[in-house]
Amino acid sequence: MATVDCDAVILGGGHNGLVAASYLAEAGMDVLLLERRDLLGGACATEELFPGYRFSSCSYICHLLQDKVIDELGLREHGFDVFHLDPSRHQPFPDGSALRLWDDMERSQEELARFSRRDAEAYPDWLAFWERAANIIYPYFLTPPPTIGEIASRLNGTPDDGFLDRLLTTSMTDLVTEFFESDEAQGAFIQAQDVGDPAAPGSAWCYAYIKCNMFGRPENVGIVKGGMGEIANALARAARSRDAVLQTGAEVQQILLEEGRACGVTLADGTEIRSRIVVSNADPKRTFLKLLPPGALDTRFLARANRLKTRTAYLKFHAALSGLPDFARGESGFDPRWVAEIKICPSIDYFVRAWDEARRGDPASEPVLEVQIPSVYDDTMAPPGHHVMSVWALYAPVRPRDGTWDERREEVGERMIDTLSIYAPNLRDILVDWSLFTPYDLEERVGLTDGNIRHLDIVPDQFLAQRPLGGWSRYTTPVPNLYLCGAGTHPGGEVTGAPGHNAAKAILEEWG
């Protein structure tokens, strides 16, 4: 092999690439990280989308960033901090009523009791169910991915043995309707994430991944001060303090191979960088299908990579506001901080309609909305007296069946404003400007294939040891010296730092 420029070159400056850079550099490797954009963070970024208004442009909440990563990389010493949210959610309904979920169990039960006494009584059991479910998965967050058989073997003979069988086969609809009877509570707790259909068997199993946030320290869960980009900034400072080199404005065109082994990269400007190993923080589809030269992978593996599921898509809406949306609807003693996190989904049927429309190729006419107004806590995000609002909308087709996303963007964005105005009637009066990121925009901006926010859908056959592909789930690839460290690997998406941590550990075990 020719003289190398570094030990490890990392493709992509998203948060997992930055985590991997720190761990590899701390172990003594000469690390170079390359990021296409002029800012680090990938989908974990803060951007000024309108003059004076700063947004967490893609990911928006810190709820699964691993305590171990925070502590070992000293992220608080490098500027990371969060606002803890209480209530954790405000859920308004079309009739003007609302449900809030608090840290205090009894206070949440009082809220639920306004809709159903039975629902209030069931709430502690609901939380206990998810703590039990998440505890089956969480021990593996920072380990190599387990098979279902390995998990079953660990649980054999314990009370969770039969519970695992139930979790693997039950649906979110079955669970929610078992625990809750009111439409309001059912709408508050229904969720299916990338599975989409809440009635699908196994949708509860995949949702247990998200509920692993129950095990994070409270001081590490909430709205990040300065936006999600401050996680990336803290990670970048940690990496540089360990002598990793982070280069922005460097687009990787192709991974170099020598005798079938990864040995560096070629940049879009023609620059060649040689390295002992290549670590891709790009999603698996982009890595296997676009960044490797033709012939690097056999046709059978390429066919498997092509079939990887990136079918579930979302929209990201951002609005600059001259005031606070009136989600309070005249409630006395209302604290603006109560609307930092909002969910709009009045019933299970509402959720199902949104999924069915997207599955048919149409943006949801009444989308499920996960709304955040971080400026009620963090006044650095907007001019004095003004606010920023960001919304994840569930669901959207990757490509609409009628027209293109460029042609549909204005119409879909206006419809989303109409939906929000049902719950905050003054919204159009305070709307300064808005933008809508479609799946196409997310792919163009951040390099996410099909705009997939978790690199690959977290569905049963792309979870744990099946992520990204059965037989290739431990951060290695069929190409020697090429590794994956992004959200398309175990344990999955969200801002966790776990794939970057795990990939670095796997590399160091192999390289010594």
Side-chain angles (χ1 to χ4, degrees), residues 13-15 18 37 39-48 54-62 65 75 78-82 222-238 240 246 316 372 374 378 380-381 495:
H15 83 280
L18 293 165
R37 301 178 77 196
L39 76 160
L40 294 165
C44 184
T46 303
E47 299 182 68
E48 187 173 351
R54 300 167 65 238
F55 297 82
S56 292
S57 51
C58 193
S59 60
Y60 64 99
I61 187 74
C62 182
L65 186 60
L75 297 192
H78 289 293
F80 165 74
D81 202 1
V82 302
I223 289 177
V224 179
K225 293 184 180 180
M228 293 295 284
E230 287 306 308
I231 294 177
N233 291 339
L235 286 168
R237 295 182 192 108
R240 289 185 172 118
L246 314 179
K316 189 68 187 281
Q372 185 184 87
D378 188 349
T380 69
M381 304 298 284
V495 177

Side-chain angles (χ1 to χ4, degrees), residues 288 468 471-479 482-484 506 510:
F288 293 140
W472 296 104
S473 59
R474 295 179 182 247
Y475 315 100
T476 61
T477 72
V479 177
L482 173 63
Y483 301 84
L484 301 177
E510 185 169 337

Side-chain angles (χ1 to χ4, degrees), residues 171-224:
S171 75
M172 285 298 297
T173 297
D174 288 342
L175 276 179
V176 169
T177 54
E178 174 187 332
F179 280 88
F180 304 108
E181 64 179 4
S182 69
D183 283 344
E184 291 84 357
Q186 290 177 359
F189 295 112
I190 194 67
Q191 184 54 272
Q193 300 292 339
D194 296 344
V195 174
D197 179 5
S203 51
W205 170 239
C206 293
Y207 187 54
Y209 172 77
I210 299 296
K211 298 307 289 184
C212 288
N213 59 14
M214 300 175 81
F215 301 116
R217 294 199 303 266
E219 66 267 24
N220 292 334
V221 176
I223 289 177
V224 179

Side-chain angles (χ1 to χ4, degrees), residues 17 22 129 184 200 212 257 299 317 342 388 422 443 459 466 475 510:
S22 278
F129 176 94
E184 291 84 357
C212 288
L257 300 185
T299 55
F317 176 90
I342 301 163
V388 294
I422 295 171
E443 179 163 0
V459 291
Q466 298 297 312
Y475 315 100
E510 185 169 337

Side-chain angles (χ1 to χ4, degrees), residues 142-431:
L142 299 177
T143 74
T147 64
I148 298 296
E150 288 169 338
I151 293 175
S153 178
R154 177 175 70 89
L155 299 178
N156 186 36
T158 73
D160 284 334
D161 193 353
F163 183 76
L164 175 63
D165 289 339
R166 182 188 183 197
L167 194 59
L168 288 168
T169 56
T170 196
S171 75
M172 285 298 297
T173 297
D174 288 342
L175 276 179
V176 169
T177 54
E178 174 187 332
F179 280 88
F180 304 108
E181 64 179 4
S182 69
D183 283 344
E184 291 84 357
Q186 290 177 359
F189 295 112
I190 194 67
Q191 184 54 272
Q193 300 292 339
D194 296 344
V195 174
D197 179 5
S203 51
W205 170 239
C206 293
Y207 187 54
Y209 172 77
I210 299 296
K211 298 307 289 184
C212 288
N213 59 14
M214 300 175 81
F215 301 116
R217 294 199 303 266
E219 66 267 24
N220 292 334
V221 176
I223 289 177
V224 179
K225 293 184 180 180
M228 293 295 284
E230 287 306 308
I231 294 177
N233 291 339
L235 286 168
R237 295 182 192 108
R240 289 185 172 118
S241 74
R242 290 158 171 80
D243 296 326
V245 176
L246 314 179
Q247 183 177 338
T248 57
E251 181 178 358
V252 174
Q253 186 174 61
Q254 194 169 81
I255 297 169
L256 291 172
L257 300 185
E258 187 175 88
E259 298 181 354
R261 309 174 77 84
C263 64
V265 297
T266 303
L267 303 186
D269 64 6
T271 301
E272 283 194 3
I273 298 171
R274 310 281 290 192
S275 62
R276 301 184 191 283
I277 65 171
V278 176
V279 186
S280 178
N281 191 33
D283 66 75
K285 279 190 168 181
R286 185 170 295 271
T287 302
F288 293 140
L289 305 177
K290 294 184 178 181
L291 292 177
L292 283 169
L297 298 166
D298 65 50
T299 55
R300 186 175 178 182
F301 186 89
L302 283 174
R304 293 181 70 195
N306 259 313
R307 290 195 297 269
L308 288 169
K309 295 181 179 69
T310 51
R311 301 171 185 169
T312 306
Y314 306 81
L315 302 170
K316 189 68 187 281
F317 176 90
H318 297 291
L321 306 173
S322 62
L324 188 66
D326 183 21
F327 287 104
R329 305 292 292 272
E331 180 181 344
S332 62
F334 193 88
D335 186 331
R337 291 175 298 178
W338 292 355
V339 296
E341 291 285 334
I342 301 163
K343 180 182 178 184
I344 291 176
C345 180
S347 67
I348 291 177
D349 287 344
Y350 183 100
F351 192 104
V352 171
R353 284 195 302 273
W355 168 248
D356 283 345
E357 288 176 340
R359 183 175 52 84
R360 293 194 300 265
D362 300 317
S365 56
E366 291 183 300
V368 177
L369 303 178
E370 301 278 358
V371 184
Q372 185 184 87
I373 308 176
S375 47
V376 296
Y377 276 91
D378 188 349
D379 60 11
T380 69
M381 304 298 284
H386 289 225
H387 289 278
V388 294
M389 180 176 71
S390 296
V391 184
W392 271 121
L394 290 66
Y395 290 95
V398 172
R399 295 168 191 82
R401 63 175 175 172
D402 296 323
T404 67
W405 273 121
D406 275 344
E407 294 166 343
R408 302 289 302 274
R409 184 183 291 105
E410 186 78 14
E411 160 220 335
V412 172
E414 289 291 339
R415 194 161 64 212
M416 198 177 301
I417 296 169
D418 288 340
T419 300
L420 287 163
S421 296
I422 295 171
Y423 303 88
N426 68 330
L427 180 58
R428 286 197 179 272
D429 296 333
I430 59 174
L431 191 59

